[in-house]
Amino acid sequence: MQNGVMEKYNIACLQANTTNDLAANLATVTAMIREAAANGAQWILTPEYTLMMDGSGRVMRDNALPADGGASLVRLRELARDLKVWLLIGSLTLLTGEEGEGADTRIVNRSFLVSDAGVVVASYDKIHMFDVTLPDGKVIRESSAYRPGDKSVVVDTALGKVGLTVCYDLRFPQLFRTLAQAGAQIITVPSSFQRQTGKAHWHALLQARAIENGCWIIAPAMCGEHAGNRQTFGHSLVVNPWGEVVADGGDAPGIVYAEIDVARVGKVRGMIPSLTHDRAFQ
């Protein structure tokens, strides 16, 4: 430990094939978390839509958890506490609790960082909505079902300074720059990246975000075929501050392990201090 931060530690990214059966997903994730902890992981990270994945916005809303995360969040917090591991819950889909005329009743897509004491130390609502037309013509409009967040999040932890993002945020370098300039040494990108765009863009974008900001990028990802005609790319990645891929989960479910050396961030930023070189321009 140095200044309350572990200098090196082991992480595990859970690469899952989440279904629209919440109870089954919770059982699968719980087993994977236990396995990762038994193998020495001190920080375990899950993908976006950890407990529910369906291409239908209606199905996602009908199965959204209560605004406080309900019993599912309690169980995951207790698991982190009992195993004495840090846990990034990539995202849960939650009701807002708002009702009545004029209320925005869309659900939120929220990421949670849980300490090894089982305490939620930070949460983040996905800011950028995936409103796109894919190469095969398929149209996805996340904003019709999800309410975007409006706040960036960086938190001081025993893991270092952690910045939170979710999936499509990856395409917005200004968010990552904001997090890095606020001190983030590690930025998490839990994702359910679409297979069509993932093949072309996933690795390049994650490596670019690491290089631009001299930080660790940790991206646990969903993989496989999902209800509602969705296909995700997999390839959970861990990228070091020099832009090198140190772990890649391939395209099948499993657990991806890596070692994080927080001091590497300072070394890279010392060599290329681009975070101090931004200039205003017209």
Side-chain angles (χ1 to χ4, degrees), residues 197-217:
T197 54
K199 290 177 180 179
H201 302 150
W202 176 247
H203 287 74
L205 286 170
L206 287 166
Q207 288 180 270
R209 298 296 88 85
I211 293 165
E212 291 163 349
N213 299 297
C215 66
W216 286 91
I217 297 287

Side-chain angles (χ1 to χ4, degrees), residues 181-203:
Q181 290 186 325
Q185 298 161 301
I186 305 116
I187 299 177
T188 57
V189 195
S191 298
S192 59
F193 222 73
Q194 294 297 305
R195 187 177 300 163
Q196 293 177 61
T197 54
K199 290 177 180 179
H201 302 150
W202 176 247
H203 287 74

